[in-house]
Amino acid sequence: MLDLHRGRILREVARLGSMTAAARSLAYTQPAVSHHIARLEAEAGTPLVVRHGRGVRLTEAGRILVEHVEDVLARMADAEERIAAVAGLRAGRVRVAVFPTAAGGLLPDALARLRARAPGVSVRLVDAEPGEALAALRAGETDVAVVFRYPYMPPDTGSRFREIVLGEDPIRLLVPAGHPLAAAPRPRLADLAGETWASGCARCRAHLRWACERAGFTPDIAFATEDHVAIQRLVARGLAVTTLPELALGLHTEPGVACPTLPLAGRRRIAALVPAGPRPPAVAALLEELAAVAAARLPALRPDGDESAGAGPGGGLGQVAVQVGEAPGGGHDGLGQDGQPVVAEPDRGAL
């Protein structure tokens, strides 16, 4: 019988890439970690790690064991949540990893609703871009990952997880208030080919390049920051133009910027990712409240072929749960190996 405690230690060694780092993380000595790994290898009857440079890496057997350890730990956490929920949500815990604009635009109201409904449920929230949130979900370090992707990108996850689509967030063009296109009734993206651009996270920059290349040019992105307030101030000072999602503009709109309608700027799809299978009651309750807030704040889902930016918030969107597949050739950020978006066929069945 393989020892689960030693399996936890192996998972930490795999996560950090060295015995020394794992020992520091677990408050063990390095020899103790080495001893536990050696005992686990004896139980398994095969090497689980090999030395690699100044650290270690998993063997194929080690990788398989870590995957199963993560599954067992996830099932144990689910059992703990179910036991705690016997008294009717008087206890429980939800860990959420969420990208910044949703952390400000959706989560506070959803958490307030959850607090009113189940005051005994504790919530831990961490700010994370989609790739980081997905990695945390895969590692069992979060229960819910709130992420976004663009319609032409494949879903981020493998069959171990499910995607609950919350709604869509139109992308808006921002230019200085005195810009020639500020009052244009229908500006074209191609009219901005000679401008200096500001943009946000890696996924947002990839979408901006994709949209501009469709319009016939490559944008000169001189300012890259995930702080949407800083981006807006760069625009207001006449230093750049940009695109931002409506959710960000709902949190802050800087004086001195104009937002002319640009239909082909696109939209991003916001979703919650959770492990497949039965959901702990506290997680299910949070997802219900999050869906209710998103339905009031985000436009409803439109067919993937419609690239228009859309109007303001629309009617409610029910929870749409779909089985999702691995992004072909993509990394954690939903991009191809060259850093560009991976274009996938629309998943009509998800709608």
Side-chain angles (χ1 to χ4, degrees):
M1 175 74 71
L2 297 175
D3 186 278
L4 182 59
H5 174 64
R6 295 188 183 112
R8 287 176 185 264
I9 295 174
L10 178 64
R11 185 183 71 161
E12 196 69 0
V13 170
R15 185 176 75 86
L16 297 174
S18 80
M19 301 277 194
T20 301
R24 189 161 47 246
S25 173
L26 297 168
Y28 286 1
T29 64
Q30 192 273 339
V33 168
S34 298
H35 172 75
H36 280 298
I37 297 301
R39 290 287 301 274
L40 189 60
E41 288 179 325
E43 292 170 354
T46 187
L48 301 174
V49 298
V50 294
R51 296 206 171 275
H52 179 70
R54 300 184 64 180
V56 297
R57 62 177 175 82
L58 295 177
T59 63
E60 180 63 13
R63 183 187 63 78
I64 292 171
L65 180 56
V66 166
E67 288 181 355
H68 282 275
V69 166
E70 289 178 345
D71 288 341
V72 170
L73 293 176
R75 293 181 67 86
M76 290 180 65
D78 180 58
E80 291 174 355
E81 289 286 351
R82 288 172 177 271
I83 292 170
V86 168
L89 279 179
R90 288 200 292 267
R93 180 191 68 175
V94 186
R95 299 165 298 168
V96 185
V98 55
F99 65 94
T101 46
L106 299 178
L107 263 294
D109 287 350
L111 296 183
R113 291 169 61 107
L114 180 65
R115 174 68 60 85
R117 172 180 171 181
V121 172
S122 66
V123 178
R124 296 290 181 268
L125 183 148
V126 62
D127 187 82
E129 292 294 345
E132 298 168 335
L134 179 58
L137 189 66
R138 282 177 169 149
E141 296 168 356
T142 191
D143 304 303
V144 180
V146 181
V147 301
F148 71 87
R149 63 182 175 90
Y150 296 94
Y152 52 80
M153 292 180 179
D156 293 287
T157 63
S159 59
R160 293 170 54 196
F161 305 104
R162 292 182 74 83
E163 178 185 65
I164 298 104
V165 179
L166 299 173
E168 296 197 331
D169 195 9
I171 306 301
R172 300 293 302 276
L173 172 66
L174 275 71
V175 298
H179 193 280
L181 296 182
R186 286 183 67 84
R188 298 180 310 136
L189 194 55
D191 296 334
L192 298 160
E195 299 284 350
T196 299
W197 290 79
S199 190
C201 68
R203 186 167 292 199
C204 298
R205 294 195 298 274
H207 174 70
L208 176 62
R209 292 190 186 98
W210 177 84
C212 291
E213 286 169 3
R214 289 182 72 198
F217 71 96
T218 299
D220 175 17
I221 303 175
F223 306 104
T225 172
E226 297 177 13
D227 186 337
H228 65 88
V229 175
I231 288 177
Q232 292 189 50
R233 289 185 176 173
L234 289 167
V235 174
R237 303 305 186 269
L239 299 172
V241 297
T242 193
T243 56
L244 282 178
E246 278 193 2
L247 197 59
L249 295 174
L251 295 172
H252 174 80
T253 302
E254 183 75 11
V257 302
C259 304
T261 299
L262 187 66
L264 293 183
R267 65 200 191 275
R268 62 182 185 175
R269 183 167 298 176
I270 297 178
L273 305 179
V274 294
R279 293 169 197 152
V283 171
L286 173 62
L287 291 175
E288 289 171 6
E289 303 304 342
L290 183 58
V293 171
R297 197 155 297 171
L298 297 174
L301 201 66
R302 293 183 307 283
D304 280 320
D306 178 9
E307 285 295 330
S308 63
L317 175 72
Q319 290 192 22
V320 183
V322 298
Q323 198 75 25
V324 292
E326 190 68 34
H332 283 322
D333 213 18
L335 308 179
Q337 295 177 354
D338 59 355
Q340 296 302 309
V342 178
V343 180
E345 289 297 318
D347 184 3
R348 301 292 180 185
L351 305 179

PDB file of all heavy atoms in Angstrom, residues 68-93:
ATOM      1  N   HIS A  68      -2.382  10.617  -9.485  1.00  0.00           N
ATOM      2  CA  HIS A  68      -3.334   9.887  -8.653  1.00  0.00           C
ATOM      3  C   HIS A  68      -3.400  10.466  -7.242  1.00  0.00           C
ATOM      4  O   HIS A  68      -4.480  10.498  -6.636  1.00  0.00           O
ATOM      5  CB  HIS A  68      -2.964   8.407  -8.619  1.00  0.00           C
ATOM      6  CG  HIS A  68      -3.363   7.660  -9.861  1.00  0.00           C
ATOM      7  ND1 HIS A  68      -4.613   7.120 -10.054  1.00  0.00           N
ATOM      8  CD2 HIS A  68      -2.692   7.411 -11.006  1.00  0.00           C
ATOM      9  CE1 HIS A  68      -4.696   6.551 -11.237  1.00  0.00           C
ATOM     10  NE2 HIS A  68      -3.535   6.708 -11.849  1.00  0.00           N
ATOM     11  N   VAL A  69      -2.276  10.932  -6.735  1.00  0.00           N
ATOM     12  CA  VAL A  69      -2.288  11.579  -5.417  1.00  0.00           C
ATOM     13  C   VAL A  69      -3.178  12.816  -5.458  1.00  0.00           C
ATOM     14  O   VAL A  69      -3.988  13.053  -4.544  1.00  0.00           O
ATOM     15  CB  VAL A  69      -0.853  11.957  -4.984  1.00  0.00           C
ATOM     16  CG1 VAL A  69      -0.876  12.917  -3.799  1.00  0.00           C
ATOM     17  CG2 VAL A  69      -0.066  10.702  -4.619  1.00  0.00           C
ATOM     18  N   GLU A  70      -3.065  13.605  -6.520  1.00  0.00           N
ATOM     19  CA  GLU A  70      -3.906  14.802  -6.648  1.00  0.00           C
ATOM     20  C   GLU A  70      -5.384  14.427  -6.703  1.00  0.00           C
ATOM     21  O   GLU A  70      -6.225  15.094  -6.094  1.00  0.00           O
ATOM     22  CB  GLU A  70      -3.504  15.597  -7.882  1.00  0.00           C
ATOM     23  CG  GLU A  70      -2.154  16.281  -7.745  1.00  0.00           C
ATOM     24  CD  GLU A  70      -1.740  17.020  -9.000  1.00  0.00           C
ATOM     25  OE1 GLU A  70      -2.340  16.774 -10.063  1.00  0.00           O
ATOM     26  OE2 GLU A  70      -0.800  17.832  -8.919  1.00  0.00           O
ATOM     27  N   ASP A  71      -5.704  13.341  -7.422  1.00  0.00           N
ATOM     28  CA  ASP A  71      -7.097  12.895  -7.490  1.00  0.00           C
ATOM     29  C   ASP A  71      -7.599  12.453  -6.117  1.00  0.00           C
ATOM     30  O   ASP A  71      -8.724  12.787  -5.718  1.00  0.00           O
ATOM     31  CB  ASP A  71      -7.237  11.739  -8.488  1.00  0.00           C
ATOM     32  CG  ASP A  71      -7.103  12.199  -9.933  1.00  0.00           C
ATOM     33  OD1 ASP A  71      -7.270  13.411 -10.190  1.00  0.00           O
ATOM     34  OD2 ASP A  71      -6.827  11.351 -10.799  1.00  0.00           O
ATOM     35  N   VAL A  72      -6.771  11.703  -5.385  1.00  0.00           N
ATOM     36  CA  VAL A  72      -7.175  11.238  -4.053  1.00  0.00           C
ATOM     37  C   VAL A  72      -7.376  12.426  -3.108  1.00  0.00           C
ATOM     38  O   VAL A  72      -8.360  12.488  -2.361  1.00  0.00           O
ATOM     39  CB  VAL A  72      -6.126  10.264  -3.483  1.00  0.00           C
ATOM     40  CG1 VAL A  72      -6.404   9.968  -2.010  1.00  0.00           C
ATOM     41  CG2 VAL A  72      -6.125   8.968  -4.277  1.00  0.00           C
ATOM     42  N   LEU A  73      -6.440  13.392  -3.147  1.00  0.00           N
ATOM     43  CA  LEU A  73      -6.562  14.553  -2.274  1.00  0.00           C
ATOM     44  C   LEU A  73      -7.804  15.365  -2.617  1.00  0.00           C
ATOM     45  O   LEU A  73      -8.485  15.888  -1.729  1.00  0.00           O
ATOM     46  CB  LEU A  73      -5.305  15.423  -2.381  1.00  0.00           C
ATOM     47  CG  LEU A  73      -4.023  14.793  -1.838  1.00  0.00           C
ATOM     48  CD1 LEU A  73      -2.840  15.721  -2.088  1.00  0.00           C
ATOM     49  CD2 LEU A  73      -4.152  14.495  -0.345  1.00  0.00           C
ATOM     50  N   ALA A  74      -8.102  15.474  -3.918  1.00  0.00           N
ATOM     51  CA  ALA A  74      -9.304  16.202  -4.321  1.00  0.00           C
ATOM     52  C   ALA A  74     -10.553  15.496  -3.807  1.00  0.00           C
ATOM     53  O   ALA A  74     -11.501  16.137  -3.334  1.00  0.00           O
ATOM     54  CB  ALA A  74      -9.352  16.337  -5.837  1.00  0.00           C
ATOM     55  N   ARG A  75     -10.574  14.155  -3.859  1.00  0.00           N
ATOM     56  CA  ARG A  75     -11.729  13.409  -3.361  1.00  0.00           C
ATOM     57  C   ARG A  75     -11.836  13.524  -1.839  1.00  0.00           C
ATOM     58  O   ARG A  75     -12.945  13.598  -1.295  1.00  0.00           O
ATOM     59  CB  ARG A  75     -11.628  11.947  -3.790  1.00  0.00           C
ATOM     60  CG  ARG A  75     -11.769  11.745  -5.298  1.00  0.00           C
ATOM     61  CD  ARG A  75     -11.682  10.278  -5.674  1.00  0.00           C
ATOM     62  NE  ARG A  75     -12.812   9.525  -5.169  1.00  0.00           N
ATOM     63  CZ  ARG A  75     -13.978   9.408  -5.805  1.00  0.00           C
ATOM     64  NH1 ARG A  75     -14.157  10.027  -6.963  1.00  0.00           N
ATOM     65  NH2 ARG A  75     -14.948   8.683  -5.294  1.00  0.00           N
ATOM     66  N   MET A  76     -10.706  13.555  -1.154  1.00  0.00           N
ATOM     67  CA  MET A  76     -10.746  13.731   0.302  1.00  0.00           C
ATOM     68  C   MET A  76     -11.270  15.119   0.667  1.00  0.00           C
ATOM     69  O   MET A  76     -12.049  15.280   1.603  1.00  0.00           O
ATOM     70  CB  MET A  76      -9.352  13.506   0.887  1.00  0.00           C
ATOM     71  CG  MET A  76      -8.888  12.069   0.830  1.00  0.00           C
ATOM     72  SD  MET A  76      -7.239  11.839   1.542  1.00  0.00           S
ATOM     73  CE  MET A  76      -7.544  12.252   3.259  1.00  0.00           C
ATOM     74  N   ALA A  77     -10.829  16.145  -0.100  1.00  0.00           N
ATOM     75  CA  ALA A  77     -11.335  17.493   0.147  1.00  0.00           C
ATOM     76  C   ALA A  77     -12.840  17.552  -0.096  1.00  0.00           C
ATOM     77  O   ALA A  77     -13.585  18.216   0.630  1.00  0.00           O
ATOM     78  CB  ALA A  77     -10.605  18.502  -0.748  1.00  0.00           C
ATOM     79  N   ASP A  78     -13.290  16.847  -1.138  1.00  0.00           N
ATOM     80  CA  ASP A  78     -14.722  16.805  -1.429  1.00  0.00           C
ATOM     81  C   ASP A  78     -15.469  16.139  -0.276  1.00  0.00           C
ATOM     82  O   ASP A  78     -16.553  16.592   0.127  1.00  0.00           O
ATOM     83  CB  ASP A  78     -14.952  16.045  -2.738  1.00  0.00           C
ATOM     84  CG  ASP A  78     -16.413  15.961  -3.118  1.00  0.00           C
ATOM     85  OD1 ASP A  78     -17.040  17.028  -3.270  1.00  0.00           O
ATOM     86  OD2 ASP A  78     -16.938  14.845  -3.251  1.00  0.00           O
ATOM     87  N   ALA A  79     -14.896  15.061   0.282  1.00  0.00           N
ATOM     88  CA  ALA A  79     -15.535  14.390   1.415  1.00  0.00           C
ATOM     89  C   ALA A  79     -15.634  15.327   2.618  1.00  0.00           C
ATOM     90  O   ALA A  79     -16.665  15.372   3.303  1.00  0.00           O
ATOM     91  CB  ALA A  79     -14.751  13.130   1.784  1.00  0.00           C
ATOM     92  N   GLU A  80     -14.564  16.076   2.878  1.00  0.00           N
ATOM     93  CA  GLU A  80     -14.595  17.034   3.986  1.00  0.00           C
ATOM     94  C   GLU A  80     -15.682  18.077   3.791  1.00  0.00           C
ATOM     95  O   GLU A  80     -16.403  18.429   4.740  1.00  0.00           O
ATOM     96  CB  GLU A  80     -13.235  17.714   4.115  1.00  0.00           C
ATOM     97  CG  GLU A  80     -12.129  16.786   4.586  1.00  0.00           C
ATOM     98  CD  GLU A  80     -10.768  17.464   4.552  1.00  0.00           C
ATOM     99  OE1 GLU A  80     -10.694  18.613   4.074  1.00  0.00           O
ATOM    100  OE2 GLU A  80      -9.793  16.837   4.979  1.00  0.00           O
ATOM    101  N   GLU A  81     -15.810  18.583   2.561  1.00  0.00           N
ATOM    102  CA  GLU A  81     -16.831  19.586   2.280  1.00  0.00           C
ATOM    103  C   GLU A  81     -18.230  19.002   2.460  1.00  0.00           C
ATOM    104  O   GLU A  81     -19.119  19.661   3.007  1.00  0.00           O
ATOM    105  CB  GLU A  81     -16.670  20.100   0.847  1.00  0.00           C
ATOM    106  CG  GLU A  81     -15.445  20.962   0.626  1.00  0.00           C
ATOM    107  CD  GLU A  81     -15.600  22.347   1.235  1.00  0.00           C
ATOM    108  OE1 GLU A  81     -16.707  22.696   1.684  1.00  0.00           O
ATOM    109  OE2 GLU A  81     -14.594  23.074   1.276  1.00  0.00           O
ATOM    110  N   ARG A  82     -18.448  17.772   2.007  1.00  0.00           N
ATOM    111  CA  ARG A  82     -19.768  17.164   2.126  1.00  0.00           C
ATOM    112  C   ARG A  82     -20.134  16.930   3.595  1.00  0.00           C
ATOM    113  O   ARG A  82     -21.284  17.127   3.998  1.00  0.00           O
ATOM    114  CB  ARG A  82     -19.809  15.849   1.350  1.00  0.00           C
ATOM    115  CG  ARG A  82     -19.813  16.043  -0.152  1.00  0.00           C
ATOM    116  CD  ARG A  82     -19.655  14.722  -0.883  1.00  0.00           C
ATOM    117  NE  ARG A  82     -19.743  14.925  -2.314  1.00  0.00           N
ATOM    118  CZ  ARG A  82     -20.858  14.904  -3.013  1.00  0.00           C
ATOM    119  NH1 ARG A  82     -22.019  14.700  -2.399  1.00  0.00           N
ATOM    120  NH2 ARG A  82     -20.862  15.096  -4.319  1.00  0.00           N
ATOM    121  N   ILE A  83     -19.160  16.488   4.371  1.00  0.00           N
ATOM    122  CA  ILE A  83     -19.420  16.264   5.794  1.00  0.00           C
ATOM    123  C   ILE A  83     -19.755  17.582   6.483  1.00  0.00           C
ATOM    124  O   ILE A  83     -20.687  17.677   7.289  1.00  0.00           O
ATOM    125  CB  ILE A  83     -18.196  15.589   6.446  1.00  0.00           C
ATOM    126  CG1 ILE A  83     -18.048  14.157   5.911  1.00  0.00           C
ATOM    127  CG2 ILE A  83     -18.323  15.587   7.954  1.00  0.00           C
ATOM    128  CD1 ILE A  83     -16.749  13.493   6.288  1.00  0.00           C
ATOM    129  N   ALA A  84     -18.981  18.630   6.151  1.00  0.00           N
ATOM    130  CA  ALA A  84     -19.231  19.937   6.753  1.00  0.00           C
ATOM    131  C   ALA A  84     -20.587  20.492   6.348  1.00  0.00           C
ATOM    132  O   ALA A  84     -21.192  21.290   7.076  1.00  0.00           O
ATOM    133  CB  ALA A  84     -18.129  20.913   6.345  1.00  0.00           C
ATOM    134  N   ALA A  85     -21.077  20.074   5.166  1.00  0.00           N
ATOM    135  CA  ALA A  85     -22.343  20.611   4.663  1.00  0.00           C
ATOM    136  C   ALA A  85     -23.562  19.865   5.179  1.00  0.00           C
ATOM    137  O   ALA A  85     -24.691  20.254   4.871  1.00  0.00           O
ATOM    138  CB  ALA A  85     -22.345  20.572   3.144  1.00  0.00           C
ATOM    139  N   VAL A  86     -23.369  18.787   5.957  1.00  0.00           N
ATOM    140  CA  VAL A  86     -24.504  18.031   6.471  1.00  0.00           C
ATOM    141  C   VAL A  86     -25.461  18.938   7.240  1.00  0.00           C
ATOM    142  O   VAL A  86     -26.673  18.800   7.177  1.00  0.00           O
ATOM    143  CB  VAL A  86     -24.021  16.866   7.353  1.00  0.00           C
ATOM    144  CG1 VAL A  86     -25.171  16.238   8.125  1.00  0.00           C
ATOM    145  CG2 VAL A  86     -23.336  15.814   6.485  1.00  0.00           C
ATOM    146  N   ALA A  87     -24.894  19.894   7.956  1.00  0.00           N
ATOM    147  CA  ALA A  87     -25.722  20.808   8.753  1.00  0.00           C
ATOM    148  C   ALA A  87     -26.330  21.920   7.916  1.00  0.00           C
ATOM    149  O   ALA A  87     -26.933  22.839   8.460  1.00  0.00           O
ATOM    150  CB  ALA A  87     -24.892  21.405   9.890  1.00  0.00           C
ATOM    151  N   GLY A  88     -26.200  21.847   6.592  1.00  0.00           N
ATOM    152  CA  GLY A  88     -26.863  22.832   5.739  1.00  0.00           C
ATOM    153  C   GLY A  88     -26.071  24.102   5.522  1.00  0.00           C
ATOM    154  O   GLY A  88     -26.557  25.199   5.792  1.00  0.00           O
ATOM    155  N   LEU A  89     -24.832  23.950   5.012  1.00  0.00           N
ATOM    156  CA  LEU A  89     -23.984  25.091   4.680  1.00  0.00           C
ATOM    157  C   LEU A  89     -23.653  25.956   5.893  1.00  0.00           C
ATOM    158  O   LEU A  89     -23.385  27.136   5.756  1.00  0.00           O
ATOM    159  CB  LEU A  89     -24.631  25.964   3.589  1.00  0.00           C
ATOM    160  CG  LEU A  89     -24.456  25.482   2.150  1.00  0.00           C
ATOM    161  CD1 LEU A  89     -25.178  26.427   1.196  1.00  0.00           C
ATOM    162  CD2 LEU A  89     -23.003  25.364   1.769  1.00  0.00           C
ATOM    163  N   ARG A  90     -23.666  25.357   7.066  1.00  0.00           N
ATOM    164  CA  ARG A  90     -23.228  26.133   8.234  1.00  0.00           C
ATOM    165  C   ARG A  90     -21.710  26.130   8.346  1.00  0.00           C
ATOM    166  O   ARG A  90     -21.145  26.764   9.232  1.00  0.00           O
ATOM    167  CB  ARG A  90     -23.871  25.569   9.510  1.00  0.00           C
ATOM    168  CG  ARG A  90     -25.357  25.879   9.603  1.00  0.00           C
ATOM    169  CD  ARG A  90     -25.837  25.751  11.041  1.00  0.00           C
ATOM    170  NE  ARG A  90     -25.802  24.371  11.486  1.00  0.00           N
ATOM    171  CZ  ARG A  90     -26.836  23.535  11.406  1.00  0.00           C
ATOM    172  NH1 ARG A  90     -27.972  23.954  10.856  1.00  0.00           N
ATOM    173  NH2 ARG A  90     -26.751  22.300  11.854  1.00  0.00           N
ATOM    174  N   ALA A  91     -21.070  25.367   7.477  1.00  0.00           N
ATOM    175  CA  ALA A  91     -19.607  25.334   7.431  1.00  0.00           C
ATOM    176  C   ALA A  91     -19.197  25.039   5.994  1.00  0.00           C
ATOM    177  O   ALA A  91     -20.023  24.704   5.156  1.00  0.00           O
ATOM    178  CB  ALA A  91     -19.045  24.288   8.386  1.00  0.00           C
ATOM    179  N   GLY A  92     -17.930  25.154   5.728  1.00  0.00           N
ATOM    180  CA  GLY A  92     -17.416  24.888   4.390  1.00  0.00           C
ATOM    181  C   GLY A  92     -16.401  25.937   3.994  1.00  0.00           C
ATOM    182  O   GLY A  92     -16.248  26.967   4.649  1.00  0.00           O
ATOM    183  N   ARG A  93     -15.716  25.654   2.902  1.00  0.00           N
ATOM    184  CA  ARG A  93     -14.663  26.546   2.434  1.00  0.00           C
ATOM    185  C   ARG A  93     -14.648  26.541   0.917  1.00  0.00           C
ATOM    186  O   ARG A  93     -14.851  25.499   0.293  1.00  0.00           O
ATOM    187  CB  ARG A  93     -13.300  26.081   2.951  1.00  0.00           C
ATOM    188  CG  ARG A  93     -12.136  26.953   2.509  1.00  0.00           C
ATOM    189  CD  ARG A  93     -10.805  26.296   2.824  1.00  0.00           C
ATOM    190  NE  ARG A  93     -10.582  25.098   2.008  1.00  0.00           N
ATOM    191  CZ  ARG A  93      -9.461  24.394   2.015  1.00  0.00           C
ATOM    192  NH1 ARG A  93      -8.481  24.745   2.814  1.00  0.00           N
ATOM    193  NH2 ARG A  93      -9.323  23.324   1.241  1.00  0.00           N
TER     194      ARG A  93
END
